[in-house]
Amino acid sequence: MKNDGLSTLYVVATPIGNLDDLSQRAIAVLQQVDKIAAEDTRHSASLLKHYLIKKPMLSLHNFNERERVSAILEALAAGESIALISDAGTPLISDPGYHLVRAVRAAHFKVVPIPGACAAIAALSAAGLPTDKFIFEGFLPAKTEAKRQQLLGLVKEPRTLVFYEAPHRLLPTLQTMVEVFSGEREVVVARELTKLYESILQLPLNDMLAYYEAHPEQCKGEVVIMLAGAKEAATDQAALERILTVLLANLPLKQAASVAAELTGERKNEVYAFALRLKQG
Ligand code: SAM
């Protein structure tokens, strides 16, 4: 189908730091649309100013997205074209836009992606961890116990794990990760991608935690945390479950996990996490 640009919602990726990462096509679309919906209009104004783009803007953030949907549907019905941008990277990826895109598609208007920067993909592309399969977990819960529970559910996940994190939570999150995963698990922290102080550090979890504890001044800027997936277990899951079921019936959780780890040669942390899940049903 030929895209005449009328009544179209363009989902436009913007840079995650380096302004030169805005694509030629993104610039052309932003110049051509009738309106730009932005997560934070003031923040995006500086990007648009850099490219001499002057357009009517409307704000669309987590707290007003549902109200904005009807106004945007009306504009599309009137033949207008709208670009959706977020503060950085690809809209909808841990950013607003899901309700809008869903509603626009349901109303049978065109939705056209204009691809570009995304921190998770940029981080993965340079981390040196397996990328044939990965899972994107977005932001972990801020509270320690909820975070721990979520991570416990990922202990056996064999695919590379990708998390977004706020700078002030990097250290507490690494601490919780060390408690839940084996300290030898490989982790990559990608900070300030495409910016002046870009760094991509790859270490075993224990060492990564020690590094950031020793350098709290480095816990600044935006980060993506990537964890290597779980290695193929030497013992199959069903056998471990049978062993743990017997032990849990006779021993406290910690002791049961420790004996099972001894018997199977599996990592203590991982057996403990599995035993905990078994016990919680
Ligand atoms: N939509 C964005 C994208 O496509 O990547 C993500 C938005 S989310 C609200 C912001 C999070 O993305 C940050 O907390 C950080 O985890 C990650 N992020 C964004 N820019 C980054 C950068 N330049 N370097 C590292 N991580 C970044």
Side-chain angles (χ1 to χ4, degrees), residues 80-111:
E80 289 188 5
S81 59
I82 314 269
L84 170 68
I85 58 176
S86 60
D87 285 355
T90 302
L92 279 82
I93 307 301
S94 293
D95 265 340
Y98 162 71
H99 297 291
L100 175 65
V101 168
R102 203 163 165 81
V104 170
R105 291 184 59 82
H108 303 293
F109 293 114
K110 269 178 286 190
V111 178

Side-chain angles (χ1 to χ4, degrees), residues 205-262:
L205 248 179
N206 271 336
D207 297 351
M208 188 67 83
L209 176 59
Y211 174 83
Y212 279 109
E213 279 175 341
H215 300 95
E217 76 286 355
Q218 297 283 316
C219 298
K220 274 194 222 138
E222 312 216 68
V223 285
V224 180
I225 306 175
M226 290 156 287
L227 261 187
K231 296 234 166 68
E232 269 305 281
T235 315
D236 75 67
Q237 188 114 341
L240 182 59
E241 187 169 338
R242 279 197 301 278
I243 292 168
L244 276 172
T245 307
V246 173
L247 291 171
L248 282 170
N250 298 288
L251 294 172
L253 175 71
K254 210 169 163 191
Q255 225 178 326
S258 164
V259 174
E262 190 81 24

Side-chain angles (χ1 to χ4, degrees), residues 16-19 21 191-200 218 221-222:
I16 56 169
N18 189 325
L19 291 187
D21 288 336
R191 275 184 51 231
E192 293 288 85
L193 292 170
T194 78
K195 303 187 200 176
L196 188 59
Y197 295 106
E198 176 178 279
S199 81
I200 300 172
Q218 297 283 316
E222 312 216 68

Side-chain angles (χ1 to χ4, degrees), residues 44 49 52 99 150 172 189 229-230:
S44 296
K49 198 168 161 208
L52 308 174
H99 297 291
Q150 189 150 331
V189 173

Side-chain angles (χ1 to χ4, degrees), residues 24-39:
Q24 295 289 332
R25 190 165 167 235
I27 296 168
V29 164
L30 292 171
Q31 279 167 339
Q32 163 218 313
V33 290
D34 296 295
K35 284 184 190 130
I36 298 175
E39 189 181 1

